[in-house]
């Protein structure tokens, strides 16, 4: 659907979308890695009664995500021209990549926290549906 919308504006959006979808996986690498390990840590400690360890795991998890995503956003902010020109030499696609790399990584700071936190909710109370 996004490709159809992009092509209705300009064909260069399609190329930019393809690159952006690949970059998104790299930018969210640390939160995605934590989604596989944190539910086990949270669930085991929660159900064995070690609630202090659960709180500590949450603190470390959020600190790791915030720091990693902040570093990624800062690096991209200061090297946006380099990365945009390195990924694609087509000028109109490079402009779209510059806009993406300038603004969107800052939103991944919060998105990373949401992704990891949602993955741990079922570890604490699997009988309660998550909305």
């Amino acid at each position: 659907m996004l490709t159809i919308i992009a092509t209705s504006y300009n064909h260069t959006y399609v190329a930019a979308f393809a690159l952006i979808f690949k970059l998104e996986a790299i930018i969210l690498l640390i939160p995605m890695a934590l989604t596989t390990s944190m539910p086990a840590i949270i669930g085991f400690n929660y159900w064995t009664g070690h609630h202090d360890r659960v709180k500590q795991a949450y603190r470390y998890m959020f600190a790791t995500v915030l720091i990693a995503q902040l570093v990624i956003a800062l690096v991209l902010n200061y090297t946006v021209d380099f990365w945009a020109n390195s990924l694609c030499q087509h000028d109109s696609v490079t402009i779209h990549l510059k806009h993406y790399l300038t603004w969107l990584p800052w939103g991944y700071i919060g998105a990373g926290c949401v992704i990891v936190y949602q993955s741990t909710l079922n570890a604490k109370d699997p009988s309660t549906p998550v909305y």
Side-chain angles (χ1 to χ4, degrees):
M1 188 63 158
L2 287 175
T3 306
I4 294 170
I5 294 169
T7 55
S8 69
Y9 289 111
N10 193 342
H11 68 281
T12 59
Y13 282 112
V14 177
F17 273 143
L19 289 170
I20 286 168
F21 289 141
K22 298 296 181 188
L23 289 173
E24 188 173 21
I26 294 169
I27 291 171
L28 289 172
L29 182 65
I30 292 185
M32 291 300 180
L34 286 174
T35 60
T36 59
S37 60
M38 287 307 295
I41 294 168
I42 298 295
F44 176 78
N45 286 307
Y46 182 80
W47 291 108
T48 58
H50 297 111
H51 298 285
D52 56 330
R53 290 184 188 171
V54 172
K55 290 178 185 176
Q56 184 181 25
Y58 275 124
R59 280 194 300 270
Y60 286 151
M61 175 183 61
F62 285 117
T64 301
V65 170
L66 289 172
I67 291 169
Q69 297 304 102
L70 181 64
V71 167
I72 290 170
L74 287 172
V75 166
L76 288 175
N77 190 41
Y78 288 112
T79 60
V80 69
D81 290 328
F82 169 76
W83 290 110
N85 291 324
S86 296
L87 292 170
C88 184
Q89 280 72 38
H90 195 275
D91 290 337
S92 57
V93 175
T94 303
I95 291 169
H96 301 308
L97 287 174
K98 284 181 184 179
H99 291 302
Y100 171 78
L101 293 174
T102 299
W103 297 108
L104 215 50
W106 293 102
Y108 286 130
I109 295 171
C113 291
V114 169
I115 289 168
V116 176
Y117 182 69
Q118 285 180 342
S119 74
T120 62
L121 288 179
N122 288 336
K124 288 176 62 176
D125 194 7
S127 62
T128 305
V130 178
Y131 298 105

